[in-house]
Amino acid sequence: MADLFDTGAARPEREPPRPLADRLRPQSLAEVIGQQQVLGPEAPLGVMLASGSLSSLVFWGPPGVGKTTIARLLAQETDLHFVQISAIFTGVPDLKKVFEAARIRRGNGQGTLLFVDEIHRFNKAQQDGFLPHMEDGTILLVGATTENPSFELNAALLSRAQVLVLERLSAQDLEHLTARAERELGRELPLTPEARLALQEMADGDGRALLNLIEQVAAWKVAAPLDREALAARLMRRATKYDKSGDEHYNLISALHKSVRGSDPDAALYWLARMLTGGEDPRYLARRITRMAVEDIGLADPQAQSVCLHAWEIYERLGSPEGELALAQAIVYLALAPKSNGAYVGYKAAMRLAKQSGSAPPPKHILNAPTGLMKDQGYGAGYAYDHDAEDGFSGQNYFPDGMERPALYQPVERGFERELKKRLDYFARLREQRNG
């Protein structure tokens, strides 16, 4: 018998097929693949569940690693009512309704686990709105974010929640997920072992993406297993995770810089390629590469800066993609160049000293005296013209009167700075003799 809301439309005889990712959603925390660093017996969530004391959480990790699934299963494990919202589609009126419903539920003896996807998209005022409801126990908040919580979430909210880092799925995790999918499908994927590995590589550590790819492959009707080339012709590789203004941007430029500093040209080339394939502006990379030459190679190889500037100019003249080769060559040169931060450290020490010494004037003997009054004041009196001195060096003091002479620039025994250190020591000996 039709009910009052029956539209009269014909009902389907059977439910439409569910996506593979939905069918394989874990039914317990024990079925979750990966993330043992937070789910293991001695890991944060394992300890919380064993003690029966679950606190508010923020899951930080890339897409497709189980943030939503784990939150849902936590509610199931702790008998909390699960409510899921997205910061993208939820406004203040919606939040008020969620909090009011949770308050009523609490009055009836039922707690609420509120899962907030993309929580970093809430502004400061909206984030502050969670605080009183977290403090009085109306909700247990579980937030999910792909961005660094240190930069995107309020300190007040972070002080009331524990941040747990979820990692991209490993190659072993992806193989386990593939095998589970094959059991659900009831057949093996029509792929050679090399193509199977290539399929997992296409997912780039994203479990949901892998299941979507598997579902496509399983639907193909092929006579023989496909090899890597045939698979690549049928499927597009998933775009590399990279945000030119986000956390990944700073992580990768840091990896590139430290690989150069660590004299590892292979790693430096890899991170350069990762940034370029992610869509980074080569001009930004040219600027940062030049900065590496100044900061980490310095005067151990003065030519390094010229190599970087020439590479930058070559890129401007050739454009992409040929110009990127000049940047790659500069990266290799820097990685293999002798390293010194002597001038960089000296500059920072000089900046600190300049701030400490305030407005201390130069000694009068090194000041010009273009007027009679200035000569009467002693400007230029006693100045020794270095070219007239023995060895072309007078050894006079050029720091403010009364300031103890600092040793700001301390060259290293590497590359060209080894020669500069000899010169510095030579002038130090002469200065001591002249003032002896």
Side-chain angles (χ1 to χ4, degrees), residues 3-18:
D3 62 29
L4 293 174
F5 303 100
D6 197 337
T7 61
R11 295 180 181 277
E13 293 183 2
R14 58 181 179 179
E15 290 289 327
R18 292 162 55 205

Side-chain angles (χ1 to χ4, degrees), residues 168 194-195 197-205 209 213 216 228 231-241 274 277:
R168 64 195 298 272
E194 293 77 15
L197 180 60
L199 181 73
Q200 294 166 359
E201 291 172 351
M202 287 180 182
D204 194 24
L213 292 171
Q216 292 183 56
R228 180 184 286 264
L231 177 69
R234 289 174 173 239
L235 281 181
M236 293 294 291
R237 174 176 288 273
R238 183 170 177 265
T240 304
K241 176 178 173 285
R274 279 282 300 274
T277 56

Side-chain angles (χ1 to χ4, degrees), residues 114 313 370 376 382:
L114 177 60
E313 183 180 2
D376 293 340

Side-chain angles (χ1 to χ4, degrees), residues 18-325:
R18 292 162 55 205
L20 181 61
D22 186 50
R23 283 149 50 198
L24 286 181
R25 192 179 295 277
Q27 299 304 304
S28 68
L29 289 172
E31 295 181 10
V32 174
I33 292 177
Q35 311 311 334
Q36 289 305 297
Q37 77 282 358
V38 298
L39 292 171
E42 298 301 319
L45 284 181
V47 172
M48 287 184 195
L49 292 172
S51 64
S53 177
L54 188 63
S55 66
S56 289
L57 305 165
V58 173
F59 291 152
W60 173 27
V65 296
K67 296 188 288 294
T68 305
T69 295
I70 294 175
R72 188 183 297 276
L73 294 175
L74 284 176
Q76 177 180 303
E77 293 273 345
T78 53
D79 294 324
L80 294 174
H81 183 78
F82 182 77
V83 177
Q84 178 177 352
I85 63 175
S86 171
I88 299 174
F89 303 111
T90 306
V92 173
D94 303 307
L95 286 176
K96 289 181 178 178
K97 292 178 183 178
V98 169
F99 296 144
E100 181 60 28
R103 188 176 295 108
I104 295 172
R105 206 176 289 119
R106 185 185 179 208
N108 294 329
Q110 173 75 60
T112 300
L113 188 151
L114 177 60
F115 176 69
V116 184
D117 199 15
E118 302 287 339
I119 191 171
H120 63 276
R121 294 185 181 272
F122 277 136
N123 60 36
K124 184 179 186 300
Q126 290 170 320
Q127 291 181 31
D128 286 341
F130 289 98
L131 303 181
H133 307 289
M134 296 168 65
E135 290 174 347
D136 66 13
T138 300
I139 62 168
L140 189 145
L141 177 69
V142 178
T145 177
T146 56
E147 300 297 328
N148 191 328
S150 303
F151 303 139
E152 303 296 338
L153 299 184
N154 293 351
L157 191 151
L158 286 176
S159 70
R160 292 164 174 81
Q162 184 173 348
V163 176
L164 299 181
V165 179
L166 303 189
E167 300 172 350
R168 64 195 298 272
L169 299 186
S170 67
Q172 186 178 23
D173 294 334
L174 294 175
E175 173 56 32
H176 287 165
L177 189 57
T178 304
R180 183 180 292 181
E182 289 176 325
R183 288 194 296 271
E184 172 65 24
L185 294 168
R187 62 187 183 280
E188 292 186 358
L189 296 176
L191 300 173
T192 65
E194 293 77 15
R196 183 188 184 89
L197 180 60
L199 181 73
Q200 294 166 359
E201 291 172 351
M202 287 180 182
D204 194 24
D206 185 328
R208 183 171 51 241
L210 175 62
L211 292 176
N212 291 338
L213 292 171
I214 288 174
E215 197 163 24
Q216 292 183 56
V217 173
W220 297 341
K221 293 179 174 57
V222 294
L226 301 173
D227 59 16
R228 180 184 286 264
E229 290 72 23
L231 177 69
R234 289 174 173 239
L235 281 181
M236 293 294 291
R237 174 176 288 273
R238 183 170 177 265
T240 304
K241 176 178 173 285
Y242 188 72
D243 181 355
K244 289 189 285 183
S245 61
D247 203 44
E248 198 71 9
H249 164 84
Y250 296 105
N251 288 343
L252 265 60
I253 192 62
S254 176
L256 173 60
H257 194 152
K258 288 179 174 62
S259 299
V260 168
R261 183 182 294 155
S263 301
D264 190 335
D266 295 327
L269 283 172
Y270 170 74
W271 293 116
L272 175 70
R274 279 282 300 274
M275 297 190 78
L276 288 171
T277 56
E280 185 57 76
D281 183 356
R283 292 178 178 84
Y284 167 79
L285 290 167
R287 181 175 67 82
R288 289 300 299 254
I289 291 169
T290 305
R291 183 258 175 96
M292 294 173 201
V294 174
E295 179 179 338
D296 289 299
I297 284 79
L299 294 173
D301 184 354
Q303 186 180 348
Q305 298 172 29
S306 298
V307 169
C308 293
L309 290 174
H310 288 154
W312 195 342
E313 183 180 2
I314 289 170
Y315 173 79
E316 294 293 352
R317 294 198 176 195
L318 291 182
S320 295
E322 295 87 352
E324 279 90 334
L325 178 57

Side-chain angles (χ1 to χ4, degrees), residues 301-417:
D301 184 354
Q303 186 180 348
Q305 298 172 29
S306 298
V307 169
C308 293
L309 290 174
H310 288 154
W312 195 342
E313 183 180 2
I314 289 170
Y315 173 79
E316 294 293 352
R317 294 198 176 195
L318 291 182
S320 295
E322 295 87 352
E324 279 90 334
L325 178 57
L327 302 182
Q329 290 176 353
I331 279 288
V332 172
Y333 187 95
L334 296 187
L336 296 176
K339 307 295 189 300
S340 172
N341 67 344
Y344 181 52
V345 170
Y347 168 73
K348 292 194 294 184
M351 291 296 289
R352 288 194 299 270
L353 184 59
K355 292 174 182 177
Q356 294 168 6
S357 59
S359 302
K364 287 185 178 180
H365 66 270
I366 63 172
L367 299 180
N368 292 330
T371 68
L373 176 62
M374 296 172 76
K375 289 181 181 178
D376 293 340
Q377 292 295 316
Y379 282 41
Y383 173 64
Y385 188 55
D386 286 84
H387 292 290
D388 293 338
E390 184 182 356
D391 301 315
F393 180 76
S394 68
Q396 283 193 310
N397 175 52
Y398 301 101
F399 284 96
D401 290 330
M403 176 182 288
E404 184 176 350
R405 179 180 180 83
L408 301 177
Y409 174 53
Q410 300 186 37
V412 299
E413 289 278 3
R414 290 187 295 276
F416 182 67
E417 269 200 337

